[in-house]
Amino acid sequence: MISRPCSATLGQSVVLQAAIFDVDGTLADSERDGHRVAFNRAFAQSGLDWEWSVATYGELLAVTGGKERIRHFAAQHAPQWLQRPASEAWLTGLHRLKSEIYAQLVGAGRIALRPGVARLLGELRRAGVRLAIATTTTPSSLHSLLLTRFGDRAESLFEVIGAGDVVADKKPAPDIYRWVLRQMNLPPQACLAVEDSLPGLRAATAAGIPTVITVNAYSADDDFAGALSVLSDLGEPGAPARRLAGAPLVGECVDLAQLRLWQRKAVVDMNH
Ligand code: XBP
Ligand code: MG
């Protein structure tokens, strides 16, 4: 692999080179009506009487990764499933079924992008800001979302995609963000992360990447101390984003100029 020269450092200043996006809850509101529904259908089709309500699923989101989430739930509510000789194969098969069902839901158009996502990605791409993904989600689930929402452009939109089991320790461990930084040959201060959850914020900040939060129904009440700015969403012209905490939002939407302002602030803060 040819590694790029690291050109992010200009004298003492570090300019914004890349934006790294989380997927579930950030690019799309995919948890409650996507992943949760897929888990429940997979359970029913597998003869399990498990049903994850909207509230239960909110608690289970503290465990990142679908396989890990099922294992955690089984350990608490039906440990006998984990004590059988072929339990890992059973778990893998159940999660594969869930991922197939999720891809069908996404392909049927059930999961939309969040406000401002397509607009901001387009602007960043046109300006030459490098784009990457750092997610816990299974690659096939991610690809079905990208394909459904971006069509032919999906393949070329993100330069680096860090997803699923590419690292052993999922968020809140920083590993997935560190993996993406290595692939891009960039220092963390030259990037911004966009996340929606506490495990995501912890992962990105532990990797040294300044992080902007767009909350959703599951994370709206969380304390995102340490985030650069906490917002309702990225905003659209005529449908402004609301700033909930952290650095101010200058206009009504998050755009490249705003990201540059926030990233400069983060670099100055880090140096003091
Ligand atoms: C969110 C997650 C994932 C999904 C399920 O990840 O925690 O586990 O809920 O995905 P992120 P899989 O916000 O980092 O994208 O079933 O494909 O693991
Ligand atoms: Mg998320």
Side-chain angles (χ1 to χ4, degrees):
M1 189 173 112
I2 303 165
S3 68
R4 293 184 186 214
C6 182
S7 58
T9 307
L10 301 175
Q12 287 305 300
S13 67
V14 180
V15 297
L16 180 67
Q17 300 263 327
I20 308 174
F21 288 82
D22 169 54
V23 174
D24 296 306
T26 301
L27 292 187
D29 235 335
S30 49
E31 293 290 9
R32 192 192 65 183
D33 300 326
H35 289 293
R36 185 186 68 90
V37 173
F39 281 114
N40 284 335
R41 288 191 187 167
F43 298 153
Q45 287 180 28
S46 304
L48 295 161
D49 64 352
W50 304 349
E51 171 82 30
W52 289 353
S53 67
V54 171
T56 298
Y57 194 69
E59 290 163 20
L60 289 169
L61 283 175
V63 181
T64 58
K67 275 196 303 287
E68 292 80 355
R69 195 168 295 143
I70 298 172
R71 188 183 287 113
H72 169 87
F73 183 84
Q76 288 192 323
H77 299 278
Q80 67 277 13
W81 284 98
L82 302 178
Q83 286 151 7
R84 297 173 315 148
S87 66
E88 274 309 304
W90 165 79
L91 187 61
T92 303
L94 181 57
H95 184 252
R96 191 182 308 121
L97 174 61
K98 173 263 161 180
S99 301
E100 286 165 14
I101 296 168
Y102 177 79
Q104 285 161 16
L105 291 172
V106 169
R110 286 276 294 264
I111 306 297
L113 294 178
R114 293 194 61 189
V117 167
R119 173 189 57 71
L120 181 62
L121 288 173
E123 185 189 0
L124 297 178
R125 177 125 180 103
R126 285 191 298 278
V129 176
R130 298 166 67 187
L131 298 176
I133 277 178
T135 179
T136 302
T137 274
T138 302
S140 62
S141 296
L142 170 63
H143 287 126
S144 61
L145 181 71
L146 295 182
L147 201 67
T148 307
R149 291 296 152 199
F150 296 103
D152 292 344
R153 288 178 303 142
E155 286 300 311
S156 59
L157 190 53
F158 295 96
E159 175 188 331
V160 170
I161 292 183
D165 295 329
V166 71
V167 292
D169 290 331
K170 294 183 176 169
K171 299 174 188 175
D175 303 34
I176 191 68
Y177 277 100
R178 289 188 178 141
W179 185 91
V180 168
L181 290 174
R182 277 199 302 279
Q183 303 300 310
M184 301 184 98
N185 194 26
L186 283 174
Q189 319 87 277
C191 306
L192 279 182
V194 185
E195 275 283 355
D196 72 302
S197 71
L198 282 177
L201 173 66
R202 291 197 182 118
T205 51
I209 305 171
T211 304
V212 175
I213 299 290
T214 52
V215 300
N216 57 49
Y218 276 128
S219 64
D221 296 330
D222 291 342
D223 177 4
F224 287 106
L228 251 178
S229 191
V230 183
L231 308 164
S232 56
D233 53 75
L234 295 173
E236 294 282 20
R242 278 176 301 114
R243 184 195 65 119
L244 308 171
L249 174 67
V250 175
E252 53 176 22
C253 305
V254 178
D255 57 11
L256 175 56
Q258 179 65 79
L259 292 188
R260 285 193 169 127
L261 265 180
W262 281 334
Q263 185 264 350
R264 274 201 293 273
K265 177 186 180 326
V267 171
V268 168
D269 290 351
M270 274 178 210
N271 291 331
H272 283 91

